[in-house]
């Protein structure tokens, strides 16, 4: 369960697993109903090898019919991928209670779905259901150090082992990455955590990266709307936001 105390329905894992194992899963919709996360809708693609863009378009048409309703939309990355984009759709005109509940419960949902989520985005309007907003803003492969590539591959392998050896979908926690926190980073994260209960904090982003000593460094006191987040990713190194 997330910080709201809302947990997954008893059949959530089973139904999501069955959906993602279909031939061409396009997207599924999870909603909060009766104080539980419930799989409310699934849709497959008529294409044999749909792309992420194909699936985003299908998701767009579905959300357009429910444009004022908050929901989580898991959009399949397409083709040979086994990953999803998690779009937390909380439109500006939905009830304030839904905005707070869906935003606060998103981390709990990510924990339940675990390693199957490659991208997570907040969406506040139908315009955000687009490739510009939902697709990767990536660091070039040649910008990664050899150690960063190794840790990325080890993390991916660990996630596959965890998910295949468990009867439920598991969350790969940050403990899988052996990075120490610098004192400045620990302080920045503590300060950031203390602001989580503020609806619209002035500084709402912390940027993290790994230095040559394999210690997590940070840059805090950053502010960005969901649309502006991709611009914060550097092009010369990997980082976390």
């Amino acid at each position: 369960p997330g910080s709201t105390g809302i947990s997954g329905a008893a059949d959530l894992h089973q139904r999501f697993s069955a959906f993602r194992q279909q031939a061409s899963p396009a997207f599924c919709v999870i909603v909060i109903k009766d104080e539980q996360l419930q799989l409310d809708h699934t849709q497959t693609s008529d294409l044999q090898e749909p792309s992420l863009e194909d699936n985003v378009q299908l998701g767009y048409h579905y959300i357009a019919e429910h444009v004022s309703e908050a929901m989580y939309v898991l959009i399949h990355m397409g083709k040979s991928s086994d990953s999803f984009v998690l779009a937390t759709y909380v439109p500006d005109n939905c009830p304030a209670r839904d905005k707070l509940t869906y935003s606060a419960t998103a981390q709990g949902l990510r924990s339940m779905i675990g390693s199957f989520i490659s991208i997570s985005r907040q969406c506040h309007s139908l315009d955000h259901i687009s490739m510009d907003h939902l697709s990767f803003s990536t660091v070039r492969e040649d910008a990664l150090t050899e150690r960063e590539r190794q840790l990325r591959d080890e993390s991916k392998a660990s996630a596959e082992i965890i998910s295949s050896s468990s009867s439920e979908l598991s969350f790969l926690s940050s403990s899988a990455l052996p990075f120490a926190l610098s004192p400045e980073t620990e302080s920045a994260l503590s300060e950031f955590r203390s602001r989580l209960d503020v609806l619209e904090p002035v500084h709402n982003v912390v940027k993290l990266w790994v230095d040559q000593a394999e210690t997590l460094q940070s840059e805090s006191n950053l502010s960005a709307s969901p649309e502006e987040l991709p611009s914060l990713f550097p092009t010369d190194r990997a980082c976390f936001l």
Side-chain angles (χ1 to χ4, degrees), residues 67-137:
V67 71
S68 298
E69 302 172 18
M71 66 186 83
Y72 301 107
V73 186
L74 285 154
I75 304 174
H76 194 261
M77 297 286 288
K79 297 183 179 179
S80 60
S81 176
D82 196 29
S83 299
F84 290 81
V85 177
L86 170 60
T88 301
Y89 180 72
V90 280
D92 291 332
N93 60 345
C94 78
R97 184 179 186 278
D98 286 351
K99 289 181 182 180
L100 292 172
T101 304
Y102 274 82
S103 297
T105 308
Q107 179 59 52
L109 177 59
R110 286 194 292 269
S111 298
M112 294 175 208
I113 304 302
S115 60
F116 295 103
I117 296 177
S118 293
I119 310 173
S120 183
R121 296 283 190 265
Q122 282 271 352
C123 301
H124 300 289
S125 71
L126 190 59
D127 291 340
H128 289 168
I129 310 301
S130 66
M131 288 296 292
D132 287 343
H133 188 70
L134 297 177
S135 59
F136 274 118
S137 177

Side-chain angles (χ1 to χ4, degrees), residues 151 154-155 158-159 162 171-181 216 240:
L151 288 169
E154 288 176 355
S155 174
S158 298
I162 290 171
F171 174 57
L172 182 64
S173 72
S174 58
S175 62
L177 299 176
F179 298 145
L181 297 178
L216 272 173
F240 306 97

Side-chain angles (χ1 to χ4, degrees), residues 135-153:
S135 59
F136 274 118
S137 177
T138 57
V139 176
R140 300 190 320 273
E141 181 73 15
D142 59 6
L144 295 174
T145 66
E146 187 61 34
R147 179 59 173 158
E148 286 170 337
R149 291 192 189 96
Q150 179 186 353
L151 288 169
R152 178 198 60 190
D153 294 341

Side-chain angles (χ1 to χ4, degrees), residues 17 42 63 89 106:
S17 181
T42 64
I63 295 173
Y89 180 72

